[in-house]
DNA sequence: GCTGATGCGTC
DNA sequence: GTCGGAC
DNA sequence: GTCCGACGACGCATCAGC
């Protein structure tokens, strides 16, 4: 028996009404326990306001403008109700609920249909994401319209929130990890660790549902499955960075480019962007470079690509952007806007996770693995003046500034902490 | 073919 | 990427 | 301290409409 989408909508409604975290976690825990294996990942994604898992390349391509048109059509003359509800609540979902309630009579025919289920909603999202080619815009609209017209007002509220990515229930990913740990009776740390590796809490939950604890303990890095990035906080100046890192730290050039995660398995190489989308196609020379230089069978590396001019000097970020989403004319743009790669971290090497190794050790391993690929210029020092000078050098060479990396810092995927500071 | 609207993704 | 707010 | 949402500039792809 498939769980109705209404149950998920009611759950979200409860989450929205409270700000008590323990309460939120316990209602979600109870909900997760009711789901069948197939429903777990879709439900977890939807509760977090996402139509698909985080790493999925699928996108709905439905924005606010498109949705507005559809809702107008579905609710006919009651548009004023929407505007008023929207200005009162400031919440698109609530306004949609109000207008759906007001226009029930117009939508009578649909009330006889069977209730929507979570799985049907997921399948509908898949169809919407798949639409492409001539006529796809209209097809997408029709699919969204069909989905919404099968929905009760409360369901419509949350469908719309998921469609445009504005869940705002206050139930974020960290709390979901807690709920998953409770629902499947495993330690929170194990769930967090698996989420780092798989990049998506929904997938972790699904894994627990089908394979239990054992499956969870087997989770490790998988080449070609991108890992969430470690992020930096800001520091005012080099002194603050030194102080924060206990007197001594590693400064690295911070480049005005795009951060990439490089996965290699034999001759196969794939490149992922910051948001973990696959950008391999846009950067053919990086693929070749990695194939040629990286001295490892399997590896997950991190670096920054920047655009350079004919003399190899850094160009403004906009030039790099012209390479990124490009599908056509890649070869020509490749000649016009060359890119360079600077590596700065290694997370995984030949079957071994390195994220618990300290920064200095990872950097050492990286230097032994990277062949002729340059690493980000580095200065390990406890001297503020030397650091200042290094910063000036970076800026003079046209780069953005410096990063400061704690020498004994491990790699914490998805976390923005003080182990890395940008200056 | 060209142009505008729309959505997405980078920083 | 930045900022400010909520907890 | 940590998380989230709102914000902005820029460039590209895709489709619709001419």
């Amino acid at each position: 028996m498939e769980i109705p989408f209404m149950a998920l909508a009611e759950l979200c409604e409860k989450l929205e009404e409270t700000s008590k975290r323990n309460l939120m976690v316990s209602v979600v825990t109870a909900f997760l326990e009711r789901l069948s294996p197939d429903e777990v990942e879709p439900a977890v994604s939807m509760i977090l306001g996402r139509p698909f898992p985080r790493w999925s390349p699928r996108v709905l391509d439905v924005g606010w403008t498109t949705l507005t048109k559809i809702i107008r059509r579905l609710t006919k003359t009651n548009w004023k109700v929407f505007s008023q509800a929207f200005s009162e609540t400031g919440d698109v979902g609530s306004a949609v609920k109000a207008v759906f309630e007001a226009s029930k009579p117009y939508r009578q025919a649909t009330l006889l249909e069977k209730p929507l289920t979570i799985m049907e909603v997921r399948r509908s999202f898949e169809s919407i994401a798949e639409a492409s080619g001539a006529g796809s815009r209209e097809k997408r609209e029709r699919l969204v319209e069909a989905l919404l017209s099968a929905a009760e007002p409360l369901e419509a509220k949350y469908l719309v929130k998921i469609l445009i990515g504005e869940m705002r229930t206050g139930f974020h990913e960290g709390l979901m990890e807690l709920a998953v740990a409770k629902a499947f009776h495993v330690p929170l740390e194990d769930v967090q660790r698996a989420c780092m590796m798989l990049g998506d809490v929904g997938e972790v939950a699904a894994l627990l549902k089908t394979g239990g604890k054992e499956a969870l303990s087997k989770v490790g890095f998988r080449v070609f499955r991108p890992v969430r990035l470690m992020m930096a906080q800001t520091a005012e100046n080099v002194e603050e960075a030194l102080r924060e890192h206990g007197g001594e730290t590693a400064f690295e050039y911070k480049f005005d480019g795009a951060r990439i995660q490089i996965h290699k398995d034999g001759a196969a190489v794939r490149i992922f962007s910051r948001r973990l989308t696959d950008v391999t196609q846009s950067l053919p020379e990086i693929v070749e470079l990695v194939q040629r230089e990286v001295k490892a069978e399997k590896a997950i590396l991190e670096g920054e690509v920047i655009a350079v001019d004919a003399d190899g000097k850094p160009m403004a970020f906009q030039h790099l952007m012209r390479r990124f989403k490009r599908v056509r004319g890649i070869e020509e743009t490749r000649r016009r806007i060359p890119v360079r790669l600077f590596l700065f971290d290694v997370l995984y090497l030949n079957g071994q996770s390195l994220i618990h190794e300290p920064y200095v050790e990872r950097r050492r391993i990286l230097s032994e693995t990277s062949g002729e690929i340059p690493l980000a210029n580095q200065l390990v020092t406890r001297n503020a003046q030397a650091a200042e000078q290094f910063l000036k050098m970076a800026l003079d060479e046209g780069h953005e500034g410096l990063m400061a990396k704690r020498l004994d810092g491990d790699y914490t995927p998805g976390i923005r902490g003080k182990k890395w500071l940008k200056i």
Side-chain angles (χ1 to χ4, degrees):
Chain A
M1 176 65 183
E2 291 191 351
I3 305 274
F5 183 76
M6 183 57 96
L8 192 143
E10 283 166 351
L11 171 73
C12 292
E13 195 73 353
K14 277 188 211 152
L15 297 176
E16 194 186 45
E17 281 163 9
T18 181
S19 62
K20 296 196 179 79
R21 292 181 183 195
N22 288 340
L23 180 59
M24 291 200 270
V25 170
S26 65
V27 294
V28 174
T29 300
F31 187 78
L32 294 179
E33 284 168 345
R34 294 169 52 197
L35 301 170
S36 67
D38 286 350
E39 291 168 330
V40 171
E41 176 276 312
V44 168
S45 295
M46 289 179 204
I47 292 167
L48 293 173
R50 299 198 273 256
F52 303 112
R54 179 203 299 284
W55 49 266
S56 170
R58 293 167 293 193
V59 288
L60 296 176
D61 247 319
V62 175
W64 172 234
T65 314
T66 309
L67 211 47
T68 306
K69 257 199 295 192
I70 296 164
I71 295 168
R72 267 180 195 268
R73 275 211 296 268
L74 276 175
T75 57
K76 305 267 177 354
T77 55
N78 285 320
W79 192 247
K80 268 185 239 155
V81 177
F82 178 90
S83 327
Q84 199 186 340
F86 183 58
S87 61
E88 275 169 19
T89 63
D91 181 81
V92 176
S94 305
V96 167
K97 176 165 172 273
V99 71
F100 265 59
E101 276 165 351
S103 24
K104 253 187 179 165
Y106 296 106
R107 301 183 304 112
Q108 264 172 354
T110 67
L111 297 180
L112 301 171
E113 289 171 14
K114 285 189 304 181
L116 272 174
T117 66
I118 291 171
M119 292 309 286
E120 281 165 356
V121 171
R122 164 54 68 84
R123 285 190 285 272
S124 176
F125 286 160
E126 281 166 355
S127 310
I128 294 166
E130 273 164 27
S132 73
S136 65
R137 206 163 272 191
E138 207 202 316
K139 186 178 177 194
R140 214 190 313 273
E141 282 181 23
R142 271 192 287 109
L143 287 166
V144 174
E145 191 169 338
L147 179 61
L148 287 178
S149 58
E152 294 293 318
L154 184 65
E155 293 178 310
K157 170 176 174 178
Y158 286 99
L159 285 174
V160 164
K161 279 167 168 275
I162 297 168
L163 284 165
I164 60 172
E166 284 187 12
M167 191 49 101
R168 290 196 259 181
T169 57
F171 189 77
H172 52 74
E173 209 163 340
L175 297 177
M176 181 60 90
E177 288 175 3
L178 259 169
V180 168
K182 273 181 74 181
F184 299 103
H185 310 102
V186 290
L188 176 62
E189 303 80 68
D190 293 0
V191 172
Q192 288 171 330
R193 186 183 141 278
C195 287
M196 282 179 189
M197 304 287 186
L198 295 180
D200 185 76
V201 60
E203 174 131 356
V204 172
L207 193 70
L208 274 163
K209 180 78 188 181
T210 49
K213 276 180 196 167
E214 301 80 57
L216 195 67
S217 64
K218 287 198 197 110
V219 168
F221 280 115
R222 282 196 233 153
V223 178
F224 305 137
R225 168 60 65 87
V227 182
R228 297 185 61 193
L229 302 183
M230 176 166 177
M231 286 163 300
Q233 292 195 11
T234 44
E236 289 301 314
N237 47 47
V238 296
E239 285 85 1
E240 185 187 336
L242 282 165
R243 202 175 336 118
E244 192 68 51
H245 286 172
E248 185 176 28
T249 193
F251 292 99
E252 284 180 2
Y253 275 23
K254 184 178 191 304
F255 303 96
D256 187 14
R259 193 165 165 191
I260 57 171
Q261 193 175 88
I262 302 163
H263 290 232
K264 175 180 187 292
D265 186 350
V269 172
R270 302 220 67 83
I271 303 171
F272 300 93
S273 71
R274 174 199 192 75
R275 299 260 297 248
L276 309 186
T277 56
D278 190 323
V279 294
T280 311
Q281 269 209 315
S282 307
L283 302 167
E285 68 267 58
I286 301 295
V287 172
E288 293 159 17
L289 185 67
V290 169
Q291 285 169 335
R292 195 171 67 234
E293 297 295 339
V294 171
K295 308 287 182 285
E297 184 61 19
K298 295 184 183 201
I300 300 177
L301 308 167
E302 237 183 272
E304 185 99 359
V305 279
I306 61 168
V308 293
D309 63 17
D311 303 327
K313 297 223 324 204
M315 294 169 81
F317 175 72
Q318 297 92 283
H319 296 284
L320 180 67
M321 282 179 72
R322 295 167 53 196
R323 293 230 10 196
F324 249 78
K325 281 192 79 180
R326 189 171 288 277
V327 174
R328 280 190 299 273
I330 292 177
E331 281 305 314
E332 203 233 317
T333 325
R334 172 178 175 174
R335 282 193 298 280
R336 284 220 324 274
I337 308 169
V339 296
R340 287 198 70 191
L341 170 65
F342 294 90
L343 292 172
F344 57 75
D345 219 323
V346 52
L347 313 191
Y348 169 91
L349 191 70
N350 300 329
Q352 289 300 122
S353 163
L354 300 177
I355 60 171
H356 299 300
E357 299 293 330
Y359 163 81
V360 279
E361 181 63 8
R362 296 201 309 278
R363 174 89 187 192
R364 188 187 63 73
I365 295 169
L366 181 63
S367 69
E368 288 171 0
T369 313
S370 52
E372 295 294 308
I373 304 173
L375 307 195
N377 305 29
Q378 184 207 45
L379 174 72
V380 178
T381 186
R382 38 176 69 250
N383 183 326
Q385 262 147 27
E388 284 290 356
Q389 206 157 28
F390 194 56
L391 172 60
K392 186 171 180 304
M393 260 173 64
L395 295 173
D396 286 349
E397 287 170 38
H399 301 301
E400 207 179 60
L402 293 181
M403 299 289 295
K405 300 189 174 175
R406 210 187 158 89
L407 298 176
D408 59 1
D410 56 357
Y411 188 97
T412 52
I415 308 255
R416 186 187 294 282
K418 287 191 181 293
K419 292 168 187 171
W420 287 8
L421 299 166
K422 56 191 153 197
I423 297 148

